Amino acid sequence: MNTIEIIHNPFIVETQFLISGQPPAEGCKLSSYKESRLQVWIEKLFDELSQLFNGDNNFEVTFRGVESDYLDVVDAAKVAMGKGMQVTLQFIEADPAEERLTRIRELMEEAKLHPEFEHFIRENADVSQSFEEAFNKDFDVYVVATMSSGKSTLINAMLGQDLLPAANEATTATIARITDNALMGQRFAAQRVTNDHRVAENSDNVSLEVLQAWNNLPDTMRIDIEGKIHAIQDRDSVRLVLTDTPGPNNSQDAKHQLKTMSFIQDSQRNPLILYVLNASQLGTNDDKNLLGLVAETMRKGGKQSKDRFIFVINKMDVFDPEKGEDLPSVLARVKNYLVENGIFNPLIYPVSANLTRLLRKPQHLHSRKERGELNSMMDMFGEEPSMNLLQYMPITERVKRSLQEKKLPEIVLSSGLPAVEAMIDEYIDKYNFPHRVKRAYDAMIKAIAVGLNETQLIEQLDQDEKTLAHINEEILALELRQEQGFDTQAYKDKIAREGKVLPRATEDELATLENASGKYLRSVSERFIGEVEPRIAEMRVKEVEEELQFQYRKLINAYEAVFITSQQVIRDDLQAEYQRYIVDLFKDCQHLKLPILDSLQKAAGDISFNLTIKSDEVQTKRVVIDRYEVSDSSWYNPFSWGSTRTVYKYGEEKSVDLAKLWNPRSTRINTEFARLVVAARTEIDNGKTVLIDQFMAFMGREFETKFNELIDSLKEKMTDRDVRKQALEEARELQAWINQFKEKLDETLAV
């Protein structure tokens, strides 16, 4: 039996492996996972262990960590056992992330009570921003779907009342953002935000009719709604924000579709995506484009990239087992459809949102039709065991426990949606809380480093008068070097000149995007070869036009992401440059912040390629439209009896030369994509220029001011014995407090 101990800390993203009580060798594959999140490597773990032990597949694994991570170990072990491995597991549970976040918040309040330490927090913008993000309770869940998937019905079921318009046609033309607020009772407040970010209308008790009217107004950018989201666990430290997004080809404004796509492409925040599919209607072009984007996003990361996409298979109530409609076969068809679109091992959750909606909707509000639908579905779901949708779902033991604790009626559980809601809670526990805990911890550690730097600097003044006199000489020299070093125009010119070159990492990202774009456009051109009927040409052009619009918007979002990452890279470069120049001047001022700069707010409008068939591209020529055989024998030639000849019937048929059709369009399309590349590079260059300008302003104003303040403070402490003595006492007292505080902070992350 091979014994393996895994100690995984999701908060500092650190893993310890012990093989038979000893850490693995540095060259071992497991060593490369030490600083990676468990979800990145857990699916490969047992195969790696099998190789490590030369095929000896008997493993006894002890896992120490949080439960949500352990459940992923359990899933990986099940897969390994399916391959014939022998795996036994032992779990040593660590405190959950939500408790740790609460303790860090309490420590934050404790820190604010100390005036000196609170000063370090307030003065550092990075620290303040990190705290704001860590303690921001909002957690985003985006509901994405194509037409007729029942998306609005599903959201209404989650809300517990009919609030969003639902029909068998396009209903969501704008973005509706619903923020959970348990204090609202059955009431929902809402406000309509226009394209110029102005609140145009609001309602303290909004109705379906009002929302429908707002949705149809062309200047509506977003509708913000606040109220109780039914069946989502109430927590003090998290607030669910459910966003109903427009379909991919169903919005009044292309910016809305761009936004929907950006939710999917967001691999930084990793928001949860509920992708709703119509179980009875698969295979639309809209789905093909959107699912391709999902597949691409899922391939970029580890398990979290897969976990954050939940495929909700809606309208399962349309199938009737008594008519031979087998649900496992239906779900297998859905899975194959997703696999064909590049999505492997998808998390599929079959639901009847309509059943959940009607069960949660107060009975006295049911229409006659709804009463009939509910009775029919209750009979089918209650009497037919195969209609219990819960049995087909890939839910964890933790989700099963959560559902059992809610003591929901069997018919409600059978509808499937409560399990999806429980999966949202699990995702929050597994990914959102650890991320927030780490952000808060890092922010506090940064403030601690600032405080310790300052106290240690003062402690260095505990010297005799002779040494202090020498330090004073060094300070005078330091002031002189500062004047010569930072105020010279040559230095500013050097920074400005070097600033014209983008960082290597940014150039690599841009090159990757440009290559992918060029490859895609070439593949489109390959679909325009030969001659076809005008009808087929029109269909192909229409299909390609939609695809090109989609790819263009996808590229816009990708460039936005590159801009954001480039800003961080450039900031890091400038920070390094700053430190290189001041390290010999002022080592203890490295905590001075560079300004936090706004990211790109680039208005991305729609672009129309205007791909329409022109009359002069349709040609007329003689073509064979039919053929038949006739007798070629003659009475006077006996040797010709039984022979035949082919007679051709001629007519006219219109055709389109695809290559001639595409060539001029290809030029225009390549030009438009090239313009986007130039525009994106220009924005990134401008972004770097802004950063450099602000950096130079910092060097000229803020740094100089802080530098002079520090120098004056040191001079005073060196020349006045009483001031120095008091400062030393205060510094040592503060340092002792900070060290004790850091010990308590470190305990919040220990596993």
Side-chain angles (χ1 to χ4, degrees):
M1 180 72 72
N2 302 305
T3 62
I4 299 98
E5 184 176 359
I6 303 171
I7 305 169
H8 181 69
N9 189 323
F11 313 109
I12 59 175
V13 192
E14 182 179 274
T15 307
Q16 291 177 264
F17 294 96
L18 295 175
I19 309 296
S20 301
Q22 298 296 320
E26 279 303 315
C28 175
K29 186 70 173 177
L30 297 184
S31 297
S32 65
Y33 299 148
K34 287 180 181 179
E35 296 178 357
S36 298
R37 189 167 294 284
L38 178 139
Q39 283 72 28
V40 172
W41 48 261
I42 188 60
E43 293 174 303
K44 302 174 283 189
L45 174 66
F46 288 99
D47 288 336
E48 300 287 356
L49 290 174
S50 179
Q51 291 182 21
L52 182 63
F53 290 102
N54 298 315
D56 182 357
N57 294 331
N58 229 335
F59 305 118
E60 184 179 292
V61 179
T62 300
F63 180 81
R64 184 192 298 269
V66 297
E67 184 186 25
S68 55
D69 287 334
Y70 173 66
L71 294 174
D72 284 339
V73 178
V74 171
D75 289 341
K78 288 178 180 177
V79 173
M81 288 187 280
K83 297 177 180 178
M85 300 184 193
Q86 301 295 316
V87 182
T88 59
L89 297 175
Q90 182 181 355
F91 178 40
I92 302 173
E93 186 173 5
D95 291 340
E98 189 170 9
E99 289 183 17
R100 297 166 188 268
L101 191 61
T102 300
R103 293 206 293 270
I104 290 181
R105 185 185 287 108
E106 291 169 352
L107 286 173
M108 172 73 171
E109 295 305 316
E110 180 184 333
K112 286 181 177 179
L113 294 176
H114 197 294
E116 290 296 322
F117 194 72
E118 194 271 342
H119 168 77
F120 302 140
I121 297 171
R122 187 181 66 251
E123 286 296 304
N124 195 303
D126 283 343
V127 171
S128 300
Q129 183 184 15
S130 293
F131 275 129
E132 185 178 335
E133 290 184 16
F135 296 129
N136 179 2
K137 299 195 299 183
D138 291 348
F139 174 73
D140 287 309
V141 175
Y142 297 107
V143 187
V144 176
T146 50
M147 200 180 300
S148 303
S149 64
K151 173 166 61 78
S152 297
T153 300
L154 183 140
I155 294 174
N156 285 335
M158 295 181 73
L159 298 179
Q161 64 172 275
D162 292 342
L163 189 65
L164 301 183
N168 290 324
E169 70 234 15
T171 53
T172 307
T174 189
I175 295 172
R177 191 173 63 186
I178 307 156
T179 301
D180 186 31
N181 185 345
L183 301 177
M184 298 286 290
Q186 297 300 312
R187 181 171 59 88
F188 284 84
Q191 58 183 24
R192 185 174 76 87
V193 182
T194 58
N195 290 323
D196 57 359
H197 301 277
R198 181 176 54 87
V199 177
E201 300 175 72
N202 58 68
S203 171
D204 290 334
N205 191 7
V206 75
S207 65
L208 184 152
E209 291 74 21
V210 169
L211 288 179
Q212 196 160 23
W214 288 0
N215 186 59
N216 292 330
L217 293 173
D219 68 333
T220 301
M221 179 184 75
R222 187 182 72 244
I223 298 173
D224 291 332
I225 304 170
E226 188 171 349
K228 172 61 183 167
I229 299 178
H230 197 91
I232 294 297
Q233 181 181 341
D234 289 328
R235 305 171 187 258
D236 292 333
S237 51
V238 70
R239 179 174 62 183
L240 186 68
V241 180
L242 192 65
T243 300
D244 181 17
T245 65
N249 283 325
N250 177 29
S251 64
Q252 298 167 346
D253 191 332
K255 292 179 183 176
H256 291 153
Q257 188 200 41
L258 195 66
K259 198 68 178 173
T260 299
M261 294 169 65
S262 74
F263 299 148
I264 293 173
Q265 291 173 271
D266 188 352
S267 298
Q268 293 294 318
R269 295 186 310 118
N270 288 311
L272 190 62
I273 305 291
L274 299 186
Y275 195 112
V276 188
L277 290 160
N278 183 343
S280 62
Q281 186 181 334
L282 299 172
T284 66
N285 283 334
D286 295 351
D287 265 336
K288 180 182 177 183
N289 287 329
L290 212 54
L291 287 174
L293 184 63
V294 170
E296 183 181 320
T297 305
M298 291 176 73
R299 286 193 296 269
K300 289 181 180 177
K303 194 173 186 300
Q304 183 175 5
S305 294
K306 300 173 185 175
D307 286 353
R308 81 179 188 92
F309 290 97
I310 294 178
F311 296 94
V312 181
I313 316 305
N314 196 16
K315 300 193 177 184
M316 294 300 293
D317 48 90
V318 304
F319 300 103
D320 187 351
E322 291 184 355
K323 295 181 180 178
E325 294 173 320
D326 179 45
L327 261 62
S329 298
V330 171
L331 296 175
R333 205 159 55 238
V334 172
K335 183 176 182 180
N336 289 337
Y337 170 68
L338 292 174
V339 169
E340 288 169 1
N341 281 276
I343 298 169
F344 303 99
N345 301 314
L347 298 174
I348 295 176
Y349 294 84
V351 304
S352 170
N354 197 33
L355 174 57
T356 316
R357 178 185 72 87
L358 293 174
L359 287 169
R360 290 175 175 172
K361 185 177 179 180
Q363 289 189 9
H364 69 279
L365 297 178
H366 286 179
S367 67
R368 181 181 302 159
K369 180 183 177 185
E370 287 176 332
R371 287 196 298 272
E373 287 178 347
L374 179 58
N375 290 333
S376 175
M377 284 190 288
M378 286 184 70
D379 286 344
M380 181 168 65
F381 279 77
E383 296 177 7
E384 176 54 59
S386 66
M387 291 302 293
N388 183 348
L389 302 179
L390 196 60
Q391 65 186 300
Y392 306 113
M393 295 186 171
I395 59 176
T396 63
E397 291 299 321
R398 184 174 182 176
V399 168
K400 289 178 185 176
R401 284 203 315 270
S402 173
L403 292 173
Q404 289 168 358
E405 289 168 1
K406 292 179 180 179
K407 301 188 185 318
L408 298 172
E410 280 299 317
I411 188 69
V412 177
L413 290 173
S414 296
S415 72
L417 189 56
V420 173
E421 293 163 338
M423 286 298 298
I424 294 173
D425 283 325
E426 182 171 71
Y427 186 90
I428 291 170
D429 288 333
K430 183 185 291 188
Y431 297 111
N432 181 252
F433 280 140
H435 172 72
R436 290 170 58 194
V437 167
K438 184 63 165 58
R439 288 300 301 250
Y441 175 86
D442 287 347
M444 196 71 81
I445 286 294
K446 193 160 191 175
I448 285 171
V450 172
L452 289 176
N453 279 342
E454 188 159 317
T455 58
Q456 288 166 3
L457 177 62
I458 294 173
E459 275 199 311
Q460 291 172 7
L461 298 179
D462 189 10
Q463 307 288 341
D464 57 36
E465 298 298 329
K466 183 178 179 181
T467 304
L468 289 174
H470 180 67
I471 292 174
N472 193 50
E473 292 175 4
E474 289 296 318
I475 286 176
L476 293 174
L478 188 66
E479 288 182 294
L480 182 62
R481 289 199 300 273
Q482 187 267 337
E483 290 176 3
Q484 294 176 342
F486 288 112
D487 289 344
T488 59
Q489 189 61 41
Y491 172 75
K492 293 181 179 181
D493 290 343
K494 176 179 179 292
I495 293 293
R497 185 172 61 252
E498 291 178 353
K500 294 179 181 178
V501 180
L502 289 175
R504 180 73 262 166
T506 301
E507 283 288 0
D508 290 344
E509 286 187 271
L510 290 172
T512 299
L513 285 177
E514 289 167 29
N515 289 337
S517 176
K519 184 179 179 181
Y520 165 73
L521 291 175
R522 288 191 295 273
S523 72
V524 171
S525 296
E526 291 170 2
R527 287 148 68 177
F528 287 85
I529 297 173
E531 294 183 355
V532 297
E533 298 174 32
R535 175 182 59 84
I536 295 175
E538 287 203 31
M539 288 173 57
R540 190 163 302 177
V541 163
K542 183 175 184 298
E543 176 185 302
V544 167
E545 181 173 11
E546 291 175 357
E547 192 178 307
L548 283 166
Q549 297 278 10
F550 191 91
Q551 291 293 328
Y552 190 85
R553 291 166 189 161
K554 171 183 162 185
L555 196 57
I556 288 174
N557 283 333
Y559 277 123
E560 171 75 12
V562 171
F563 179 89
I564 293 170
T565 56
S566 74
Q567 289 276 285
Q568 187 57 53
V569 170
I570 294 164
R571 276 198 294 269
D572 291 344
D573 284 351
L574 290 174
Q575 175 73 17
E577 178 71 20
Y578 168 61
Q579 292 190 6
R580 281 195 297 271
Y581 274 86
I582 69 169
V583 68
D584 293 330
L585 296 173
F586 184 30
K587 294 181 180 180
D588 295 299
C589 244
Q590 293 177 8
H591 62 272
L592 289 181
K593 65 179 178 64
L594 292 174
I596 300 299
L597 303 165
D598 294 333
S599 65
L600 174 66
Q601 297 295 320
K602 183 174 179 286
D606 189 21
I607 181 170
S608 173
F609 297 109
N610 196 27
L611 300 180
T612 55
I613 302 283
K614 296 178 183 177
S615 59
D616 60 1
E617 289 166 333
V618 177
Q619 309 156 6
T620 300
K621 62 181 180 180
R622 284 170 59 83
V623 293
V624 175
I625 59 174
D626 196 8
R627 67 171 63 191
Y628 53 93
E629 300 296 312
V630 297
S631 174
D632 197 27
S633 62
S634 60
W635 64 271
Y636 55 83
N637 184 359
F639 298 101
S640 67
W641 292 350
S643 68
T644 62
R645 64 184 173 86
T646 301
V647 176
Y648 295 98
K649 180 182 177 182
Y650 289 90
E652 287 191 347
E653 180 184 81
K654 292 182 177 180
S655 70
V656 174
D657 185 318
L658 287 176
K660 288 183 179 179
L661 167 71
W662 182 249
N663 285 338
R665 288 168 172 75
S666 176
T667 301
R668 293 203 308 273
I669 290 164
N670 285 324
T671 300
E672 291 295 348
F673 274 78
R675 282 176 182 167
L676 178 60
V677 170
V678 172
R681 280 184 169 273
T682 300
E683 288 293 337
I684 292 170
D685 272 324
N686 290 342
K688 177 159 193 180
T689 301
V690 170
L691 283 170
I692 291 171
D693 288 344
Q694 294 198 28
F695 175 67
M696 296 310 302
F698 163 79
M699 296 294 287
R701 292 195 315 269
E702 194 169 347
F703 169 74
E704 185 175 357
T705 300
K706 289 182 182 294
F707 180 85
N708 292 335
E709 285 176 358
L710 180 63
I711 294 297
D712 291 343
S713 175
L714 287 174
K715 283 180 177 178
E716 182 185 19
K717 291 179 178 64
M718 284 187 295
T719 56
D720 191 320
R721 186 188 301 269
D722 291 336
V723 171
R724 184 167 69 252
K725 182 179 178 181
Q726 183 179 348
L728 282 167
E729 290 175 358
E730 291 174 353
R732 285 165 182 158
E733 182 182 333
L734 177 58
Q735 192 172 68
W737 185 90
I738 289 175
N739 286 328
Q740 290 175 357
F741 184 84
K742 186 177 185 301
E743 287 179 11
K744 289 189 283 188
L745 183 64
D746 288 341
E747 287 174 6
T748 65
L749 265 62
V751 298

